[in-house]
Amino acid sequence: MESENVLVGVIGGSGLYHLDNLTFIKTVNIETPWGYPSSPISICSLPSGARVAFLARHGKHHNLSPSAVPARANIAALKRLGVRAVLAFSAVGSLREEIAPGHFAIPTQIIDRTKGVRPASFFEGTTIVAHAAFGDPFSLKLVKWLETEVEKSLKEHGGGAVLHKDKCIICMEGPQFSTRAESIMYRSWGADLINMSVLPEAKLAREAELAYALIATATDYDSWRPHSETVTASQVLQTLQANANHSRHVAASILEDLHLAAVQGDLLSEEEGSMSFSIMPKSANQKDEDVKKLAYILPQYFTAAN
């Protein structure tokens, strides 16, 4: 499939299944070497005519649990469309009193508590090895840009939503929520937020050389607060709709400027070429089918001639 010349891709989390204030153009359902994405991807037009891709992480009807999300297909399909910057949204639990339900946060660090059941690398199962740098798991230039723009958007929108910056998110396997003991332990580790979706999404975006950042919306206080009820799905759903409305406003407010910043290029300079230092030297038993597979996301490093 040919690139759609879409520079910005949006991944919607729980409660965020579409975007407002965009002109729908078409949907595409791309079969990648890692299968089909969670849902057909909507190609939409901004007022300027620039295109944006939108993907519902859990499917259009929330039919995929976090462990079952085909993250490799999602990231590969976005890359195939020409996307270079991914703006991901996610509902999260708060591990800090000051991050109240309804507040927003943009994390800069991740703690991995998934259990190895989710394929976390495009190189998994191939004869080619790569070790992507992941010390800063989010694209810091993109994060800094978003901090200013999201904060401005939330103030304009009203409703009391606050943005918290430079936070650490822990990604658990789920689908069950945390025990009280786990929730308290995560706080002692320095985690501020918890969700079930940021990994392996962020790792795969790094391997695909895509700028990636997460806008997190708090729905609950997880299970750490003494003398409080533990988090339940019904409690989360009560906050999801309001958070989704705020998220749609934020996306509508910033996507045009994000596209312009992406066109200018410096916002995306961190990731470009980063995998050239991560791929191990060619081995004697490197299979042609693996080279072809990886060329789907990294054509500059893998070609049919290799």
Side-chain angles (χ1 to χ4, degrees):
M1 177 175 177
E2 295 298 319
S3 168
E4 291 283 344
N5 296 315
V6 180
L7 284 179
V8 177
V10 178
I11 299 178
S14 298
L16 186 63
Y17 306 116
H18 67 276
L19 295 179
D20 293 336
N21 300 328
L22 297 176
T23 302
F24 173 79
I25 298 175
K26 63 179 178 178
T27 58
V28 292
N29 198 20
I30 303 170
E31 184 177 14
T32 77
W34 300 274
Y36 286 97
S38 298
S39 67
I41 298 172
S42 297
I43 306 297
C44 303
S45 175
L46 294 164
S48 67
R51 294 186 172 192
V52 172
F54 178 81
L55 169 66
R57 181 188 291 116
H58 298 285
K60 291 178 68 175
H61 305 289
H62 204 110
N63 55 299
L64 294 170
S65 71
S67 302
V69 170
R72 290 190 294 185
N74 289 348
I75 295 298
L78 290 174
K79 179 71 180 284
R80 191 69 165 183
L81 290 171
V83 166
R84 294 189 59 200
V86 175
L87 180 59
F89 287 84
S90 176
V92 302
S94 169
L95 297 172
R96 303 294 164 188
E97 189 70 39
E98 65 272 17
I99 306 176
H103 285 191
F104 280 57
I106 301 178
T108 51
Q109 279 297 323
I110 304 174
I111 297 173
D112 189 353
R113 281 280 291 170
T114 60
K115 298 179 178 178
V117 299
R118 312 177 187 195
S121 172
F122 287 111
F123 294 83
E124 186 173 319
T126 74
T127 54
I128 302 166
V129 176
H131 301 282
F134 205 59
D136 294 308
F138 299 99
S139 302
L140 295 182
K141 287 185 177 181
L142 179 56
V143 164
K144 293 302 179 185
W145 186 93
L146 286 170
E147 286 175 348
T148 299
E149 297 302 319
V150 172
E151 192 166 49
K152 182 171 67 175
S153 176
L154 290 176
K155 287 179 180 178
E156 291 172 351
H157 189 53
V162 175
L163 177 66
H164 299 269
K165 306 171 186 178
D166 198 24
K167 299 302 177 183
C168 178
I169 187 168
I170 193 159
C171 188
M172 63 180 291
E173 189 61 53
Q176 299 82 6
F177 293 120
S178 308
T179 66
R180 289 190 187 274
E182 288 170 333
S183 193
I184 292 168
M185 177 179 69
Y186 298 151
R187 279 168 47 84
S188 74
W189 287 357
D192 305 296
L193 312 163
I194 183 166
N195 86 339
M196 303 177 190
S197 299
V198 70
L199 294 176
E201 200 169 86
K203 290 182 176 180
L204 296 166
R206 181 60 50 84
E207 285 190 346
E209 295 191 346
L210 300 180
Y212 178 92
L214 183 77
I215 296 179
T217 55
T219 57
D220 58 86
Y221 276 118
D222 204 50
S223 301
W224 60 270
R225 296 170 95 201
H227 313 302
S228 294
E229 293 183 0
T230 58
V231 60
T232 65
S234 61
Q235 180 189 44
V236 168
L237 287 171
Q238 290 175 19
T239 314
L240 266 181
Q241 189 56 52
N243 284 359
N245 290 337
H246 284 306
S247 295
R248 280 191 287 271
H249 172 79
V250 166
S253 301
I254 69 174
L255 281 175
E256 193 77 77
D257 288 339
L258 178 55
H259 174 82
L260 289 173
V263 169
Q264 291 170 0
D266 184 61
L267 195 67
L268 311 177
S269 60
E270 286 177 281
E271 288 68 38
E272 188 174 0
S274 61
M275 288 301 291
S276 63
F277 306 107
S278 302
I279 302 166
M280 295 296 100
K282 182 176 178 180
S283 62
N285 66 341
Q286 193 176 91
K287 294 181 179 179
D288 289 342
E289 61 261 35
D290 294 337
V291 172
K292 181 179 179 181
K293 188 176 188 179
L294 292 166
Y296 190 89
I297 56 159
L298 295 170
Q300 64 273 47
Y301 307 123
F302 299 100
T303 66
N306 282 354

